[in-house]
Amino acid sequence: MSRAVNIFITIIFVILAGVLVYFGPLYGADSVITDNLYTRFSGTDRRIVIIGIDEETLAEYGNFNLWSREKLAELLEKLYEDPENRPDVVGLDFILSDTVDEVNDTRLAKAAEKAEGNIVAGSNIVYRGRVEVNSAGEMYYNTEYIDHIEMPYEELRKEVVSGFTNKNIAGDGYIRYAINSVNYRDSETDELQTQDSFAFAVYKLYCEKNGEEIRVPKTNSRSQFQFRYSGETGEFSMLSLAAVLSGKIPSTAFRNAIVLVGAYAPGFQDAYQPASDRGDSMYGVEIHANIVQAYMQGKTMVVVNRLLMAVITAVLTCILMIVGRKLRLLKFVIASAVFAVLYLLTGIILAANGLVIPCIYIILVVIAADLYFLVDDHQRELKKQMWSFTEAMAAAIDERTPYNASHTRNVARYCGMVADHINRLHRRGKEKEHFSEKRKEQLVMGALLHDIGKIAVPLSVMNKAARLDGKEDDIRSRLENIRLRAQIMLLEGKKDEAWYKDIEAKTGQALNMMEKVNTAGSLLEDMGKEVDRILEYSFEGEPFFSESEKECLRIPKGTLTESERRVMESHVSITKNILSKVYFNSYFRNSPIFAGQHHEYLDGSGYPEGLKADELPAESRIMTVCDICDALLATDRPYKKPLPFEKAFDIMRGMADKGTIDGKYVEYLYECLKPEKEDGAV
């Protein structure tokens, strides 16, 4: 794979990783990992006690909706009746906004008054969306606009601190976020007010009671922070309200404690899905207990800035891809696994220090990188196999005969040089065409396979060094025999001297013609006429040459007769047939096409299919030019002498002028080979 392609793929990985982290489309899946990874149950704080209105309490006192405030008032009176064992803070996880029973409402307020301001009562934020205008003057619909807050009824409100009990349910349905406080505008006074959350109000009162510093957690753009649960569902100490009111629970159980009172039975429909325990729901009062403990122990976190995290992930992805290019697959898989583990461990450490980083995207990047390099490695192995097969076939053809020893490799080398030259011109803006690594490799592989069909061509045809190819001695003996027989006939008086001289001259002419024509590259027109005349010589009705010898000596160019040439030309069809039986994957699928077209000409005069210019791609045209060039320059052909460099290209330019081959690629090849010629390499 080319360096440019590698860089492009790396960029795609980097951008995709950064975009995924920034937009967070897999929030739910990532939360499954981070919730389990970052949750480290430290055990619930014994200072936090839950008094639950459970099934036992409801069985004792009936439907909660029918209660007056009597039981809550009785509870506060009982909690604060012993000065030595008073709780530090009591949180009532109820919305006590309406007056129900004047007597018991007043009783509850009086009981709260005796607690000296250490009671937190629940409030409820009522959100109603409305159309607003942002700083840019654009209108938008604000779904988080606070219409009003339902506060405790007025008499109680004077004696308690209120805190909203609304739960922050994340997009995936689990609770992992909390809010310190909200700002809202009072509908009656139009003044900007601040309301703390129930858990934050409890925590602040506890700190003030014990002289401890109030630590306000950092929050995100939505004023949220993420908290870590201290225990699983049901792990906090829970006492039944009925048991407390009946006196079964000693007052010492509440000494200096944070007491949270809330619903603890299914009928209240106040259970939620905690992020720490996906198997069981958790009552709202216990979630508040976890948040309070998170405040107390600093177990709060905030998600790292999305843009910063996207950049960090992109950089890590880039490093991972660069390392992947340098390591073998197995080593990279191990290294990427170690990298992922280190990242997750880093996440755990950061979470302990208040920062949350997403995990699923790095895991996906590692998996995707492993799969990519697995496929890439597989493709490289396939390419190695294809190249080894091709090299073996090329070697088999070239080594089959010493007269073809370097032709295949030369043509492949020339094709590669032309492709590189085209790319250089393309970079300079002088050529529209461009050869990708894939396209170049398809061309070079096609060139290495272009003569594979010669494996089926008889060596007697491939190695035919002269027109007569071994018949010369027979002809010499025959002509000498004719001369001797003529001499005998002269001596016997059967023929006169003039007749003998004529036969002697003709045998000499025939012998000279044979020697001259047998290895000539081509026959000129005058020489052809002379050959035809001499080939008709006979002695007493017996021809000097057989019909097959006449056919060989009449060959106008080269050493092959028409039938032999057809056999030789069949190598292209055989090449196509052989390669059609070989599976070429998509990377090399065009190589057999180019290999089968290296003898096609632009004017349709080529073979085997007589294709024309509009049917021949650039690769086939280039291969044709390179094949002809090596044939003209070859020093190992038995039937011809190598042509001078310039002469060879003059011949090819002539073919281009006639419309046989592509002149542009002739000149490109010339520009590639001329420096080698000047250095003596060609």
Side-chain angles (χ1 to χ4, degrees):
M1 195 172 293
S2 69
R3 186 168 181 268
V5 172
N6 288 337
I7 292 174
F8 175 75
I9 291 174
T10 298
I11 291 173
I12 293 298
F13 264 79
V14 168
I15 292 175
L16 187 59
V19 169
L20 285 174
V21 171
Y22 184 78
F23 289 102
L26 303 177
Y27 170 79
D30 184 57
S31 296
V32 173
I33 297 172
T34 55
D35 287 343
N36 286 281
L37 191 66
Y38 299 159
T39 296
R40 290 290 182 272
F41 293 130
S42 58
T44 56
D45 195 317
R46 293 184 177 275
R47 292 173 293 177
I48 302 176
V49 178
I50 295 175
I51 296 178
I53 301 178
D54 57 357
E55 296 285 2
E56 179 186 345
T57 302
L58 295 176
E60 180 73 22
Y61 302 123
N63 190 330
F64 179 77
N65 292 324
L66 301 179
W67 287 14
S68 67
R69 305 285 160 70
E70 178 186 4
K71 296 303 177 186
L72 293 179
E74 186 179 344
L75 174 64
L76 292 184
E77 290 166 353
K78 194 166 191 64
L79 290 174
Y80 284 93
E81 67 181 358
D82 183 354
E84 296 297 323
N85 294 307
R86 287 185 170 192
D88 283 346
V89 181
V90 174
L92 302 176
D93 184 17
F94 302 102
I95 311 300
L96 306 171
S97 57
D98 298 323
T99 56
V100 177
D101 177 346
E102 183 177 350
V103 173
N104 289 307
D105 287 347
T106 300
R107 181 181 176 185
L108 177 60
K110 293 292 185 181
E113 181 183 5
K114 292 180 181 179
E116 300 175 350
N118 293 317
I119 307 296
V120 177
S123 63
N124 179 54
I125 299 175
V126 178
Y127 293 97
R128 283 198 175 92
R130 72 172 187 176
V131 176
E132 295 184 352
V133 179
N134 62 20
S135 57
E138 299 171 337
M139 297 182 68
Y140 72 100
Y141 191 74
N142 182 7
T143 58
E144 297 183 0
Y145 171 72
I146 298 175
D147 182 75
H148 66 281
I149 296 181
E150 296 175 341
M151 304 293 284
Y153 60 91
E154 186 175 355
E155 189 175 2
L156 178 63
R157 184 177 181 182
K158 294 177 182 178
E159 309 301 337
V160 300
V161 175
S162 61
F164 61 85
T165 59
N166 305 66
K167 308 299 186 297
N168 280 271
I169 302 175
D172 60 351
Y174 292 87
I175 293 181
R176 65 178 61 87
Y177 296 110
I179 295 177
N180 295 317
S181 57
V182 296
N183 295 320
Y184 70 101
R185 193 167 294 279
D186 190 288
S187 58
E188 296 181 1
T189 64
D190 200 38
E191 294 180 356
L192 193 64
Q193 303 284 339
T194 298
Q195 174 80 165
D196 290 333
S197 69
F198 182 78
F200 192 41
V202 169
Y203 166 67
K204 286 170 66 176
L205 276 182
Y206 179 80
C207 290
E208 291 169 359
K209 178 78 172 178
N210 292 278
E212 296 181 6
E213 179 186 359
I214 298 173
R215 292 174 294 186
V216 182
K218 294 181 179 179
T219 59
N220 59 22
S221 59
R222 299 184 64 184
S223 301
Q224 299 171 328
F225 65 88
Q226 190 166 335
F227 66 94
R228 285 183 289 155
Y229 285 80
S230 296
E232 297 179 283
T233 299
E235 193 168 335
F236 271 94
S237 176
M238 194 283 291
L239 305 174
S240 171
L241 175 63
V244 174
L245 294 181
S246 66
K248 294 179 180 178
I249 308 300
S251 60
T252 54
F254 309 110
R255 184 178 182 180
N256 302 127
I258 295 174
V259 177
L260 301 180
V261 185
Y264 219 86
F268 285 97
Q269 296 184 344
D270 190 37
Y272 305 88
Q273 291 294 326
S276 62
D277 188 2
R278 291 173 176 258
D280 296 306
S281 58
M282 183 180 287
Y283 289 113
V285 67
E286 190 171 2
I287 290 175
H288 288 309
N290 273 282
I291 299 172
V292 171
Q293 185 166 335
Y295 277 118
M296 295 169 67
Q297 297 180 351
K299 296 192 299 185
T300 63
M301 306 174 288
V302 65
V303 178
V304 174
N305 178 273
R306 286 187 304 168
L307 179 59
L308 175 61
M309 202 62 228
V311 172
I312 292 173
T313 305
V315 171
L316 292 176
T317 302
C318 183
I319 293 172
L320 190 67
M321 294 300 291
I322 291 172
V323 171
R325 300 289 178 199
K326 299 181 181 299
L327 296 180
R328 288 182 175 273
L329 178 63
L330 180 59
K331 288 184 177 180
F332 174 71
V333 171
I334 295 173
S336 63
V338 171
F339 167 80
V341 170
L342 290 176
Y343 181 90
L344 297 179
L345 290 175
T346 301
I348 294 173
I349 294 171
L350 289 175
N353 288 276
L355 293 174
V356 176
I357 61 175
C359 291
I360 193 169
Y361 303 106
I362 280 294
I363 294 174
L364 289 178
V365 165
V366 168
I367 294 173
D370 286 345
L371 290 175
Y372 167 73
F373 285 115
L374 175 63
V375 173
D376 187 56
D377 184 72
H378 180 63
Q379 288 181 335
R380 282 198 295 256
E381 287 299 313
L382 287 178
K383 285 175 68 175
K384 282 182 181 179
Q385 286 184 335
M386 288 300 298
W387 281 117
S388 64
F389 162 78
T390 303
E391 292 285 352
M393 291 299 99
I397 296 303
D398 283 354
E399 293 178 13
R400 187 165 181 252
T401 167
Y403 303 134
N404 203 59
S406 58
H407 172 69
T408 302
R409 302 188 198 302
N410 282 345
V411 173
R413 185 168 69 90
Y414 294 168
C415 286
M417 292 171 71
V418 172
D420 290 339
H421 183 69
I422 288 172
N423 286 346
R424 285 193 294 272
L425 294 176
H426 177 79
R427 287 193 293 271
R428 295 201 295 264
K430 296 183 177 181
E431 171 62 72
K432 291 182 180 179
E433 200 163 22
H434 173 263
F435 274 80
S436 64
E437 181 180 4
K438 176 181 176 180
R439 190 180 176 194
K440 177 185 172 182
E441 288 195 83
Q442 285 185 340
L443 170 60
V444 173
M445 178 169 284
L448 286 171
L449 294 171
H450 82 283
D451 272 348
I452 194 174
K454 286 182 178 178
I455 200 167
V457 176
L459 287 176
S460 60
V461 174
M462 289 185 62
N463 293 346
K464 192 176 181 184
R467 285 175 169 81
L468 293 170
D469 193 35
K471 300 183 179 71
E472 297 88 345
D473 289 343
D474 290 343
I475 295 173
R476 290 190 188 96
S477 297
R478 186 187 310 133
L479 292 176
E480 180 60 20
N481 181 268
I482 289 173
R483 190 187 66 77
L484 290 174
R485 287 164 60 194
Q487 188 176 29
I488 291 171
M489 293 178 71
L490 172 65
L491 293 174
E492 289 177 346
K494 294 180 180 180
K495 297 292 182 178
D496 58 20
E497 183 74 20
W499 176 85
Y500 172 74
K501 291 292 184 183
D502 180 60
I503 294 299
E504 185 179 42
K506 286 181 176 179
T507 56
Q509 290 174 13
L511 186 61
N512 289 336
M513 180 275 293
M514 180 195 73
E515 299 288 354
K516 184 177 181 180
V517 170
N518 192 33
T519 57
S522 58
L523 299 182
L524 299 177
E525 185 178 352
D526 291 343
M527 182 182 292
K529 292 179 179 179
E530 178 67 11
V531 169
D532 286 339
R533 184 180 66 80
I534 294 174
L535 289 178
E536 295 305 317
Y537 288 168
S538 64
F539 172 74
E540 296 298 301
E542 177 186 337
F544 282 15
F545 299 92
S546 67
E547 289 303 316
S548 63
E549 292 166 351
K550 289 179 181 180
E551 183 184 11
C552 289
L553 289 171
R554 284 193 174 108
I555 295 172
K557 186 177 181 180
T559 63
L560 302 180
T561 64
E562 281 303 312
S563 60
E564 290 170 336
R565 187 173 298 281
R566 284 194 295 273
V567 171
M568 189 66 184
E569 289 179 352
S570 70
H571 82 275
V572 182
S573 297
I574 297 171
T575 292
K576 295 177 68 174
N577 187 44
I578 291 174
L579 296 182
S580 70
K581 304 294 191 297
V582 178
Y583 172 73
F584 288 84
N585 62 24
S586 59
Y587 193 86
F588 291 113
R589 66 182 177 186
N590 291 324
S591 295
I593 297 174
F594 306 146
Q597 294 178 348
H598 72 280
H599 276 298
E600 300 286 358
Y601 291 151
L602 302 182
D603 58 3
S605 63
Y607 60 88
E609 297 181 27
L611 302 178
K612 292 189 176 182
D614 58 353
E615 300 173 280
L616 296 172
E619 289 86 347
S620 298
R621 300 181 185 207
I622 291 171
M623 197 181 300
T624 299
V625 168
C626 294
D627 184 63
I628 293 171
C629 178
D630 188 67
L632 294 174
L633 296 176
T635 60
D636 55 5
R637 301 300 169 93
Y639 51 82
K640 61 173 282 297
K641 294 179 181 180
L643 292 178
F645 182 78
E646 296 294 342
K647 176 65 176 175
F649 274 91
D650 285 343
I651 292 174
M652 286 193 289
R653 289 184 180 112
M655 294 176 70
D657 291 340
K658 293 178 181 178
T660 305
I661 59 178
D662 197 317
K664 179 173 75 170
Y665 300 124
V666 171
E667 296 307 321
Y668 285 171
L669 182 59
Y670 179 82
E671 292 170 14
C672 291
L673 295 181
K674 193 154 192 305
E676 290 190 0
K677 172 62 181 175
E678 292 170 349
D679 293 339
V682 176

